[in-house]
Amino acid sequence: MKLIKLSTIIPRREFSNKLYELNTETLEWRRLRPDHVVRQRDEPDRPSIRDKAAMVHYNNALWVFAGWGTRIDITQHNSRFMPDSSHEFVGWNNELWRFDLGTMSWSAPRCSGVTPSPRAAHTFTMCSKNRAVLFGGRTREGRVCDLYILHFDTLHWEGPIATDIGPEPRSLHTCTLLHDDKVLLLGGMNSKGDSVLAQWVLSTDPKPAWTKVSLCDERACARTWHTTVAHPVSRDCTELLVFGGSPDNIWLPDHKYWANMTRFFYGVKPLFELCLDCLCSHGEENCPEFAEDISTRKRLLAAQAEASDAETMKVFEMDNMRPTSAS
């Protein structure tokens, strides 16, 4: 298995546009260098340097949308650069880029429909075999909660999509695909700079709709700039792991970061997991064949309980970093 990362920011707050691949079997990193580019006349040949972009994998290619970075003088077809009101040389863009993993080349797809506005710190998440959902982020006007769907088969943007109810504006959140093609929205920073408590699930069939849920302890899942990973354990259940992030306004001095990993389930919890929970609560002396599983579960529960204590959070020293309006 291989994981691919778009390196968007490096030390000293210098922006980047490099791609790196991690081989999870050998634990070796390598940089993906484009062999050539496919470009239109008078258009850029690769993404500009940026951070807080979002990326999905579809049809052996990486699709990168938007981000915050240095000024773009030449933009793609139907894309824009919105400079920061306080600094004209940095700002937001809404470029869509495709990196073909077979030919190792960048190209700029031309899409129909309404292109989402320039933004950063948003999410771009596959929601079916040929669709990806774009939600939220930070624009020049502030944090947003708009919703779009990109149809890869027709290269058409659907949106902005209106729903009866939905989440508040936010950025630096996570949207994670679940086993039933729904998307779980967790955390993020709201317009006041606070970490969001409410949890939502988005269904896209037959039409997009949000449902407010409570899958994990709000205090444990109310965090900003975290990571959420999904593992489908059955046709009816997804295991979710949430790591890192901050419960505080990340631009305040002496804010803290979570050092723990929170684990919970969406859907019908597997019988084996229910049995382990029961044995951990009532003793395992009569089940020696599951002793190793029970011991592992107890260590996990103990670690989660310890790390959930506010005193175990790590204080993040701001050093020379300063807040930017991109988040």
Side-chain angles (χ1 to χ4, degrees):
M1 180 179 179
K2 296 179 180 178
L3 302 176
I4 297 176
K5 178 184 185 297
L6 174 64
S7 177
T8 57
I9 191 166
I10 55 180
R12 301 187 303 277
R13 291 197 61 81
E14 295 177 359
F15 299 108
S16 171
N17 60 356
K18 299 180 177 66
L19 280 172
Y20 292 89
E21 177 187 82
L22 172 65
N23 188 313
T24 57
E25 294 182 357
T26 63
L27 297 181
E28 293 178 340
W29 285 97
R30 76 180 181 101
R31 182 178 169 187
L32 300 181
R33 300 178 183 272
D35 291 336
H36 64 283
V37 295
V38 180
R39 60 181 295 184
Q40 302 292 330
R41 184 179 179 181
D42 297 329
E43 291 191 356
D45 60 6
R46 68 191 64 200
S48 60
I49 56 176
R50 64 189 66 188
D51 72 359
K52 303 181 188 71
M55 180 171 69
V56 297
H57 176 269
Y58 169 74
N59 197 24
N60 199 39
L62 306 173
W63 300 69
V64 181
F65 182 76
W68 160 271
T70 55
R71 184 178 187 88
I72 303 173
D73 293 322
I74 302 176
T75 59
Q76 294 177 352
H77 167 75
N78 207 27
S79 69
R80 293 177 291 152
F81 175 80
M82 299 293 290
D84 190 318
S85 57
S86 61
H87 199 317
E88 64 175 326
F89 296 106
V90 293
W92 298 265
N93 70 77
N94 62 347
E95 293 182 326
L96 178 67
W97 285 93
R98 178 182 181 273
F99 185 78
D100 190 305
L101 293 169
T103 62
M104 301 293 284
S105 61
W106 284 106
S107 62
R110 295 197 174 202
C111 298
S112 60
V114 178
T115 304
S117 60
R119 66 190 63 209
H122 51 290
T123 51
F124 195 30
T125 312
M126 294 300 298
C127 61
S128 67
K129 292 181 179 179
N130 58 6
R131 296 181 301 165
V133 60
L134 176 80
F135 174 75
R138 174 71 159 85
T139 69
R140 186 166 68 175
E141 290 71 31
R143 292 174 184 87
V144 294
C145 57
D146 50 357
L147 180 67
Y148 292 81
I149 293 178
L150 177 59
H151 298 259
F152 288 107
D153 53 351
T154 59
L155 287 181
H156 175 77
W157 283 107
E158 176 188 356
I161 301 171
T163 57
D164 294 334
I165 60 171
E168 64 181 296
R170 68 187 71 194
S171 62
L172 299 171
H173 51 282
T174 58
C175 280
T176 310
L177 181 64
L178 303 169
H179 65 272
D180 53 3
D181 286 345
K182 294 179 181 178
V183 175
L184 173 65
L185 168 63
L186 280 183
M189 178 189 292
N190 63 19
S191 298
K192 297 179 180 179
D194 300 324
S195 293
V196 182
L197 295 175
Q199 306 154 32
W200 293 83
V201 167
L202 173 70
S203 58
T204 57
D205 289 320
K207 65 177 183 178
W210 289 102
T211 303
K212 197 172 184 179
V213 297
S214 181
L215 300 179
C216 66
D217 180 79
E218 285 188 345
R219 182 175 177 274
C221 288
R223 53 182 83 192
T224 294
W225 223 338
H226 53 288
T227 298
T228 305
V229 177
H231 170 229
V233 294
S234 71
R235 292 180 300 175
D236 304 308
C237 182
T238 300
E239 176 187 27
L240 292 127
L241 300 171
V242 184
F243 177 75
S246 174
D248 306 321
N249 185 324
I250 60 175
W251 302 125
L252 293 178
D254 297 332
H255 71 277
K256 299 177 175 64
Y257 271 113
W258 282 109
N260 72 324
M261 183 177 292
T262 297
R263 177 175 180 259
F264 58 97
F265 291 87
Y266 168 80
V268 181
K269 198 172 184 179
L271 179 60
F272 181 73
E273 295 288 340
L274 294 172
C275 291
L276 283 181
D277 290 343
C278 181
L279 290 171
C280 287
S281 301
H282 299 91
E284 68 277 11
E285 58 275 0
N286 295 322
C287 299
E289 63 271 29
F290 295 114
E292 183 176 351
D293 295 302
I294 295 170
S295 177
T296 301
R297 174 58 56 84
K298 283 188 171 182
R299 290 198 301 271
L300 174 64
L301 294 175
Q304 284 190 217
E306 179 183 1
S308 294
D309 188 333
E311 294 183 358
T312 67
M313 291 184 186
K314 306 298 184 183
V315 176
F316 178 72
E317 299 297 337
M318 289 298 287
D319 193 23
N320 294 321
M321 292 184 67
R322 293 290 182 268
T324 71
S325 57
S327 302

